[in-house]
Amino acid sequence: GESKFTTVAPLVSMEGRLQDALVRPDGALVTAAAVDRALAPLEGIAGYQVDQRAPDAADIDVVPGPGAPASILDDVRARLEPLLPGLKLQTRKATAIAAEPSGKYRLSRRHFPLDLGRIFPGCEGVSL
């Protein structure tokens, strides 16, 4: 039904943890779910993980599945480049994606703090 308290649409899906969001050079956040949606049309991916170790670059580990085309690494990069403009993307073949110490798998990982004040008004001085 329609809410009488807000004009903001309800959430349709969970987008993942803020700690896992990638950040583009323009300050926009890219969620793990957005990356997943971008790669969903590709056949032949058994697993992947995007690691952003620096604000201007990201590494993409791809585990090819049975019947993956020889072009799978280029296909992954082509699907993610429009989503991550300004980032240097490096794709590489992997045999598996390791679980975190918690036992969970993370589709995307940012390895530096996010300056929340740049993204959310009122959060100046807060990093995550």
Side-chain angles (χ1 to χ4, degrees):
E2 194 171 315
S3 171
K4 49 184 135 172
F5 301 107
T6 181
T7 57
V8 176
L11 289 174
V12 174
S13 66
M14 293 305 295
E15 289 289 324
R17 302 175 340 148
L18 188 57
Q19 295 95 313
D20 293 341
L22 307 172
V23 63
R24 299 183 336 192
D26 64 3
L29 294 177
V30 178
T31 64
V35 171
D36 204 42
R37 283 191 298 271
L39 296 180
L42 295 180
E43 298 285 331
I45 298 176
Y48 71 88
Q49 186 173 64
V50 181
D51 274 307
Q52 187 179 18
R53 290 183 170 80
D56 65 346
D59 296 325
I60 306 148
D61 292 323
V62 179
V63 179
S71 61
I72 193 67
L73 295 181
D74 291 334
D75 297 344
V76 166
R77 187 174 29 258
R79 296 286 309 173
L80 293 182
E81 280 175 341
L83 190 62
L84 301 167
L87 292 183
K88 289 177 256 162
L89 301 181
Q90 179 178 337
T91 52
R92 56 192 179 201
K93 196 177 290 188
T95 55
I97 302 298
E100 298 293 310
S102 67
K104 295 182 180 178
Y105 291 90
R106 293 168 65 194
L107 299 179
S108 63
R109 302 186 303 179
R110 183 178 22 80
H111 297 269
F112 57 90
L114 184 63
D115 178 3
L116 295 181
R118 266 189 74 199
I119 299 165
F120 302 110
C123 289
E124 290 74 16
V126 177
S127 291
L128 180 65

